[in-house]
């Protein structure tokens, strides 16, 4: 069985998109939308560990990674959900499990709402949650900017987009021995791909968290009404999404499987073996066959 990760490009509308793929064409699909400040690179180690049984597909969003940064793209959560919808159609993917991490969570949830029957299962790993009362303390720093006039808000957000902040995003709240397992490639790579235009994209996305708050009820309603099989695997050492954030999902997904690991926001760097074992067991029960 070939489990190597392949690196591909495809045109989605007018946008040339880079994506990573592993696994056989006929295998059940797992879609991996990435978070911020990242790209499909975050899934590079997970993909070959599952590719003997599943087809893993991880695109770089427009304005991130190795995809293009068109001027006329809608760089918002809604815009990215529309892009993902077009992406899975371009690859002729009819049904898939969805891995929700960081900003990929509100984007992926929007995709799920568009066509719930396509979603075979959810894997939620330190995804941005739709529960206002269960957010971590770091979100308060973002919320403070919401009271400012828009130009001042954007100025403050721009000042926080730099290589040192990227490093802080990846190290987050993990203790030193776990931080030593997080490679500097993560912030060095993603900062090296930053351009003035992409900085504006990042500002748009972070500023969009304010509007996204009004969308939380729709996200919760989807979870409550459709209750897809769900694995919640979480690193509680996370300033943005601590343990209470993971547990909040159980309000609308009482049957979800919840596992708290000794890690933080980027579990695939520090706790890969544990995540792989949990995901393989879960997908083996709920998403073992294509179609």
């Amino acid at each position: 069985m070939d489990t190597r990760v392949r690196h591909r490009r495809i045109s989605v509308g007018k946008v040339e998109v880079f994506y990573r793929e592993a696994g056989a064409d006929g295998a059940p699909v797992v879609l991996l939308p990435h978070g911020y400040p990242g790209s499909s690179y975050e899934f590079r180690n997970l993909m070959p560990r599952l590719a003997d049984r599943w087809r893993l597909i991880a695109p770089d969003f427009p304005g991130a990674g190795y995809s293009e940064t068109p001027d006329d793209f809608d760089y918002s959560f809604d815009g990215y959900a529309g892009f993902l919808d077009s992406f899975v159609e371009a690859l002729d993917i009819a049904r898939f499990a969805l891995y929700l991490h960081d900003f990929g969570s509100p984007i992926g949830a929007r995709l799920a709402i568009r066509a719930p029957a396509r979603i075979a299962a959810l894997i939620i790993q330190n995804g941005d949650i739709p529960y206002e009362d269960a957010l971590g303390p770091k979100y308060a720093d973002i919320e403070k900017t919401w009271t400012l006039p828009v130009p001042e808000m954007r100025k403050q957000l721009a000042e926080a987009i730099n290589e040192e902040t990227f490093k802080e995003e990846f190290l987050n709240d993990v203790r030193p021995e776990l931080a030593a397992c997080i490679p500097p490639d993560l912030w060095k790579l993603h900062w090296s791909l930053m351009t003035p235009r992409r900085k504006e994209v990042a500002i748009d996305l972070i500023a969009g968290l304010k509007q996204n708050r009004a969308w939380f009820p729709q996200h919760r309603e989807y979870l409550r009404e459709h209750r897809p099989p769900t694995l919640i695997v979480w690193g509680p050492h996370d300033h943005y999404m601590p343990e209470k954030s993971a547990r909040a999902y159980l309000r609308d997904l009482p049957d979800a499987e919840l596992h708290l690991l000794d890690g933080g926001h980027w579990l695939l760097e520090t706790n890969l073996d544990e995540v792989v074992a949990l995901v393989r067991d879960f997908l083996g029960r709920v998403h073992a066959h294509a179609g």
Side-chain angles (χ1 to χ4, degrees):
M1 174 65 67
D2 187 355
T3 61
R4 292 174 297 179
V5 177
R6 302 177 293 279
H7 306 91
R8 306 191 186 281
R9 291 189 176 274
I10 188 174
S11 292
V12 179
K14 298 179 180 179
V15 185
E16 185 178 324
V17 174
F18 172 88
Y19 68 100
R20 301 169 198 262
E21 182 177 15
D25 285 347
V29 172
V30 181
L31 183 65
L32 303 155
H34 64 81
Y36 171 87
S39 68
S40 62
Y41 184 75
E42 73 170 85
F43 298 114
R44 71 199 182 283
N45 296 322
L46 176 69
M47 296 175 72
R49 298 284 294 273
L50 301 176
D52 60 321
R53 294 189 64 188
W54 293 275
R55 181 185 176 196
L56 294 300
I57 300 174
D60 284 352
F61 288 127
Y66 300 124
S67 289
E68 289 186 331
T69 310
D71 288 331
D72 57 351
F73 186 82
D74 176 10
Y75 294 102
S76 68
F77 293 116
D78 287 335
Y80 279 132
F83 158 76
L84 269 186
D85 194 33
S86 297
F87 176 76
V88 296
E89 287 186 1
L91 291 180
D92 195 25
I93 301 169
R95 187 166 166 80
F96 48 89
L98 190 55
Y99 193 107
L100 302 179
H101 175 245
D102 195 83
F103 278 7
S105 180
I107 295 167
R110 282 168 165 79
L111 177 68
I113 288 171
R114 285 172 174 241
R118 288 190 298 197
I119 306 304
L122 297 180
I123 301 165
I124 308 176
Q125 188 256 298
N126 294 78
D128 276 36
I129 64 170
Y131 304 96
E132 298 92 331
D133 62 330
L135 293 164
K138 193 70 173 175
Y139 256 91
D141 296 338
I142 298 173
E143 291 169 352
K144 288 176 184 175
T145 68
W146 294 353
T147 62
L148 300 172
V150 172
E152 180 62 24
M153 177 182 71
R154 293 183 66 86
K155 180 174 182 293
Q156 284 201 17
L157 292 177
E159 291 171 353
I161 298 173
N162 54 61
E163 184 177 345
E164 186 59 30
T165 302
F166 275 26
K167 179 180 178 180
E168 292 173 3
E169 292 284 340
F170 285 111
L171 296 181
N172 202 308
D173 192 32
V174 297
R175 61 183 183 277
E177 63 266 32
L178 287 178
C181 297
I182 299 177
D185 309 74
L186 285 164
W187 57 88
K188 291 289 186 182
L189 168 64
H190 292 107
W191 182 250
S192 75
L193 295 172
M194 184 61 66
T195 64
R197 180 69 185 100
R198 286 188 168 192
K199 192 168 186 176
E200 291 297 315
V201 169
I203 294 169
D204 288 344
L205 201 57
I206 298 170
L209 288 171
K210 181 178 181 180
Q211 288 72 38
N212 187 59
R213 194 62 64 87
W215 179 79
F216 279 11
Q218 290 177 257
H219 189 166
R220 295 193 298 263
E221 182 181 6
Y222 163 76
L223 298 175
R224 186 167 55 251
E225 288 192 3
H226 294 280
R227 293 196 182 182
T230 300
L231 171 69
I232 304 170
V233 56
W234 211 267
H237 309 302
D238 186 342
H239 278 312
Y240 290 98
M241 299 289 159
E243 179 178 337
K244 66 179 180 179
S245 302
R247 294 191 181 281
Y249 276 107
L250 298 179
R251 302 173 192 175
D252 296 306
L253 293 170
D255 298 325
E257 303 174 30
L258 171 61
H259 299 268
L260 298 170
L261 306 185
D262 184 18
H265 195 77
W266 304 91
L267 283 178
L268 299 184
E269 304 298 332
T270 60
N271 301 71
L272 179 64
D273 289 345
E274 294 171 275
V275 173
V276 167
L278 291 168
V279 170
R280 289 186 68 88
D281 175 69
F282 172 71
L283 291 179
R285 287 181 279 114
V286 305
H287 191 42
H289 305 285

